[in-house]
Amino acid sequence: RFVLGVDIDHIVQTALKPLVFALNTLPGILVYAFLVTLLWSVGINGDNAMDAIVAPIFLQYLAANVEAMTAGQPLPYITAYGFFTTFVNVGGTGATIALALVMWNSKEPGYRKVSRLSLPTQIFQINEPIFFGFPIVLNPILMVPYILNALILTTGSYLLIHWHVIQKPFVNVPWTTPPIIGHYLVSGGDWKAAVWGVASIAIAMAVYYPFAKTAERQRLNAEAAGVAHE
């Protein structure tokens, strides 16, 4: 930014702003989820890049939900602030805590070590260690489930809230709040939201599993070939 006079975040925001629409609808929030994870997949912090566009909208939704709750009225917005940070970013963007759990006992030492070292940070929604350690960024095998999980959890969470199974978010919870606890708090103490948090991790693990095992096999085969060559 200072040396070349180019603000990459601003360029990304300007380019993607027309694509951000109707964020309280399922199609709109799915497009947003796709853009965030796609940017992360190529090494750009998708949450930060999009935040200037969406944060004021999500916070406005949250304020409206708080006002409605105070007045005893139905909450108007599903995707208020907390929906994406809690219900979609389970253990970090792309629900990568599930990948760490899948690879906790990986046969490949590097994957096993990264999974175990990164898990404590992912409990607090920080997933850079595993994201860049595996890596997921620019990795075609793991980019697919990474983006897919965001879309699946966005859809599932939106529909469960739309069907009144889970309370709409109306409590401003820090994005570093651990999953399941965050689900419970952001919904004002809805135990069904906490159950969905557990289910979300299980779903994400199922999505990651075949891709993670493929990456593991490729790494082991490459290592075996290297040993044989030596």
Side-chain angles (χ1 to χ4, degrees):
R1 179 187 301 179
F2 296 107
V3 176
L4 301 178
V6 177
D7 186 343
I8 295 175
D9 264 3
H10 180 70
I11 292 172
V12 171
Q13 289 163 8
T14 303
L16 297 182
K17 193 169 185 178
L19 299 177
V20 177
F21 66 96
L23 286 170
N24 196 49
T25 67
L26 183 55
I29 197 66
L30 278 173
V31 168
Y32 170 69
F34 176 75
L35 292 175
V36 168
T37 48
L38 182 65
L39 288 172
W40 268 112
S41 296
V42 296
I44 298 172
N45 188 317
D47 294 282
N48 286 352
M50 301 294 291
D51 211 38
I53 304 171
V54 303
I57 299 171
F58 289 150
L59 289 170
Q60 180 184 336
Y61 290 169
L62 182 66
N65 279 2
V66 171
E67 186 176 340
M69 177 60 68
T70 304
Q73 301 294 324
L75 307 190
Y77 294 108
I78 292 174
T79 60
Y81 181 79
F83 173 87
F84 200 82
T85 55
T86 301
F87 288 101
V88 181
N89 291 355
V90 181
T93 313
T96 49
I97 192 171
L99 179 58
L101 292 171
V102 166
M103 301 297 271
W104 179 263
N105 284 320
S106 172
K107 297 175 182 177
E108 204 286 313
Y111 283 153
R112 186 170 64 246
K113 184 177 292 185
V114 170
S115 296
R116 295 182 179 186
L117 289 174
S118 68
L119 190 60
T121 67
Q122 290 186 96
I123 291 172
F124 297 99
Q125 308 278 75
I126 299 167
N127 68 346
E128 279 82 355
I130 197 168
F131 186 78
F132 294 104
F134 260 60
I136 295 172
V137 61
L138 299 178
N139 183 340
I141 295 175
L142 294 176
M143 283 167 60
V144 173
Y146 177 78
I147 295 173
L148 191 58
N149 267 324
L151 299 178
I152 290 171
L153 295 184
T154 297
T155 302
S157 300
Y158 187 98
L159 292 176
L160 286 173
I161 296 173
H162 176 71
W163 293 332
H164 305 291
V165 177
I166 296 173
Q167 176 65 278
K168 293 173 182 174
F170 68 95
V171 179
N172 193 345
V173 176
W175 65 269
T176 51
T177 305
I180 304 171
I181 297 173
H183 287 73
Y184 180 78
L185 294 177
V186 78
S187 59
D190 185 350
W191 64 269
K192 296 186 295 299
V195 172
W196 173 239
V198 176
S200 295
I201 295 174
I203 291 168
M205 288 178 68
V207 172
Y208 272 120
Y209 186 85
F211 295 92
K213 291 302 177 181
T214 297
E216 180 186 70
R217 282 195 300 272
Q218 287 188 358
R219 180 77 68 87
L220 289 171
N221 290 339
E223 290 170 356
V227 170
H229 181 72
E230 290 176 4

